[in-house]
Amino acid sequence: MKRKKKISVIGAIIIASMLAGCSNSGGTTGNNTEAPSVSPNKENTGESAAPSAPPEAKLRLLTDFKDIYPPKPDWAVWKWVKEETNIAIEQETWTGPESLALAIASGDMPDLFTVFPYDAQKYGPQGAFLDLSKHLDQMPSVKKFLEAKPEVAQRMTSPGGEMYHVLNDGLGAGNLMVWFYRDDIFAKHNLQVPTTWDEVYETAKKLKELYPDSYPFSFRHGVGTLRSFGPQFGIYPYMHEDPAAPGKIKYGATDPGFKVMVEYLNKFYQEKLIPQDWLSMDYKAWTQQVATDKTFMTIQYIGQIEIMNSQLQNGAHLKFMPPPLGYGDKAYIPKADYEDYGIAVSSKTKNLDAALRYLDFIYSDKGKDILSWGKEGETYAIENGKRKFLPQFKEPNDLRKELGIFTSAAYGFADIEASLSLSNENEKYSFQEAMKYQFPTMSVTPVLTDEERNAIMAIEEQLTKYYESSVAKFIIGETPMTQWDSFLEELNKIGAQKVIDTYQVALDRLKQNIK
């Protein structure tokens, strides 16, 4: 329940886009796609002149700062944008967490901002950001993108249908939390890859016997990891749309599958098959265990497979593992192949046409291609009918560092195949397989009105605190599982049903809006 997960499932943007398409503007698409002008001396020849260049413009863009690929004014992405749109991008970066608020309050706002949904929902209604739903007729590529990706539109739209930012998309697969295992160790001891949590338990016991100092199964996000385990038991721990009953809000912690999951984890803990400090394990401790034969099965962000493989030695190797079934009919990983970052337009911009033209370009097919691959001869060559990046680009992060590809606000809709083309076969395999196992619904809640939010804010905080402390105590055995019914009763006393009902109203509003 981090703040940036409190994002919208309102689909009114679809209605707004349809209305925009029926406006009296005749579907004008801005300077980027204007009809070509006709030269006077060719009026009677039937020949048309080349399309006129869009007007020159400059946009100030405020983005975050990343140490692993610090922004450069001469990044090729900005050159390509200028070539295609006649827009020069002047990139500015945050200096701290308060930078966004300070920029908004300064009276000298940049034209474009990179924002999380929470920030868009906070500052947009205050008048800082433009309501983009009113300008979709000027951004046909954005409109097309949102119609093709309604789940993206739903997450970025306010209860009243306003859209204060547009989310990036295409690279979300990097957010997937997946299982992986030491395939070299499994092969060495003739162990089969577990397909159920019972088999995970039995395999962990065998590995514990072989490596007594190990904790065969490990994870590093404390109680939060239960969000990643939940889909193997048919749920997410918190409020989510029930895939078995579309349109209905479910509170996963009250589901029988959640209890089964906690019982498993309690058994793993008692038999020291998971680290005894699982509640506080950080990234450094986790990597140390993986690198020193102290753990052999884990769940982590998908990119960690190759990051860790680059550090392992003496034949040690990690491989993607399909999620094991814990409860129900099918095992899943969380549906998380989406991005939580987007672009907002200042409501005070003096370059509105250019700002809308920029957004439309980066969400266009051409923009997607150029801002993901670059240009032939500059960044890639064609070999055997396929694009291949030039030799100086050896890994995906090289594209960011050297070219600005896939950096904040330098793309709208990305082509992940460009990034994967620089990955090895094991990593490609991981991404391809992971996409087969995503849970049918996301672990997100619909955006509430201010009145709705204020009505349940204190209850949600109390629920979260009680849930986290209680579940931790069940897993480590401080509270016996015989007290589970009392746990459920206390959730109800705190006000779980009121929270469920409030989110149900918001979800019903969504369903009504998108009819």
Side-chain angles (χ1 to χ4, degrees), residues 75-363:
W75 265 344
V77 287
W78 305 135
K79 176 176 73 77
W80 300 327
V81 166
K82 184 66 163 61
E83 291 172 351
E84 299 295 330
T85 68
N86 214 11
I87 296 171
I89 298 295
E90 184 178 288
Q91 188 175 12
E92 305 169 11
T93 57
W94 297 349
T95 57
E98 74 288 347
S99 294
L100 179 61
L102 289 175
I104 292 171
S106 69
D108 183 30
M109 294 172 64
D111 301 287
L112 302 170
F113 297 79
T114 50
V115 295
F116 289 111
Y118 174 88
D119 297 316
Q121 297 293 345
K122 177 181 179 180
Y123 295 111
Q126 296 177 14
F129 302 141
L130 195 70
D131 177 6
L132 296 173
S133 70
K134 297 179 180 178
H135 299 274
L136 288 174
D137 57 333
Q138 295 170 266
M139 300 184 293
S141 296
V142 173
K143 180 179 177 181
K144 178 183 175 182
F145 164 75
L146 294 175
E147 289 173 344
K149 306 275 285 189
E151 70 280 6
V152 177
Q154 291 169 186
R155 292 188 297 111
M156 66 194 203
T157 307
S158 299
E162 302 87 359
M163 185 177 73
Y164 295 112
H165 69 321
V166 57
L167 286 167
N168 299 141
D169 196 56
L171 298 179
N175 294 325
L176 295 175
M177 292 286 285
V178 303
W179 287 70
F180 40 105
Y181 72 106
R182 282 281 300 275
D183 59 332
D184 61 304
I185 293 294
F186 275 60
K188 178 179 179 179
H189 299 290
N190 199 29
L191 298 172
Q192 299 300 309
V193 177
T195 60
T196 67
W197 272 64
D198 279 337
E199 292 177 4
V200 171
Y201 171 70
E202 294 299 332
T203 302
K205 288 204 324 182
K206 292 177 182 177
L207 287 165
K208 185 73 172 178
E209 293 173 0
L210 293 166
Y211 302 88
D213 294 335
S214 73
Y215 295 103
F217 173 36
S218 69
F219 45 93
R220 72 171 183 87
H221 294 284
V223 173
T225 313
L226 274 62
R227 289 193 297 269
S228 299
F229 292 149
Q232 290 116 62
F233 295 82
I235 50 94
Y236 293 117
Y238 197 58
M239 312 290 170
H240 63 282
E241 184 174 1
D242 187 354
K248 297 297 181 184
I249 290 291
K250 184 182 187 67
Y251 186 13
T254 63
D255 188 84
F258 184 74
K259 179 183 179 182
V260 174
M261 176 172 62
V262 173
E263 288 173 331
Y264 270 115
L265 291 171
N266 170 256
K267 183 162 62 173
F268 278 103
Y269 181 83
Q270 297 300 330
E271 299 186 31
K272 297 185 178 180
L273 302 177
I274 61 175
Q276 303 298 280
D277 61 345
W278 66 274
L279 276 169
S280 59
M281 178 174 288
D282 59 14
Y283 180 69
K284 182 178 180 180
W286 176 81
T287 56
Q288 182 71 11
Q289 286 202 349
V290 174
T292 58
D293 289 353
K294 291 295 191 297
T295 196
F296 312 102
M297 295 178 287
T298 188
I299 188 167
Q300 189 49 260
Y301 287 108
I302 192 168
Q304 290 294 326
I305 295 177
E306 294 312 314
I307 290 174
M308 290 307 304
N309 275 337
S310 68
Q311 301 176 32
L312 296 178
Q313 299 177 355
N314 301 319
H317 188 263
L318 293 166
K319 187 175 181 180
F320 172 86
M321 170 178 156
L325 178 63
Y327 181 86
D329 299 323
K330 185 176 179 180
Y332 297 95
I333 60 173
K335 182 172 178 55
D337 63 333
Y338 57 86
E339 297 187 56
D340 260 353
Y341 216 27
I343 308 170
V345 177
S346 167
S347 62
K348 308 297 183 183
T349 181
K350 296 178 181 179
N351 303 292
L352 178 57
D353 288 344
L356 298 178
R357 180 155 39 101
Y358 176 70
L359 290 182
D360 201 57
F361 171 69
I362 66 175
Y363 284 90

Side-chain angles (χ1 to χ4, degrees), residues 176 320 323 330-333 429-439:
L176 295 175
F320 172 86
K330 185 176 179 180
Y332 297 95
I333 60 173
Y429 169 81
S430 301
F431 278 95
Q432 291 165 356
E433 289 298 302
M435 299 304 289
K436 301 176 183 179
Y437 296 99
Q438 289 197 90
F439 199 61

Side-chain angles (χ1 to χ4, degrees), residues 259 474 481-492:
K259 179 183 179 182
F474 279 123
M481 291 301 299
T482 55
Q483 297 297 310
W484 189 259
D485 288 344
S486 297
F487 163 68
L488 298 180
E489 290 173 5
E490 187 61 27
L491 292 177
N492 284 325

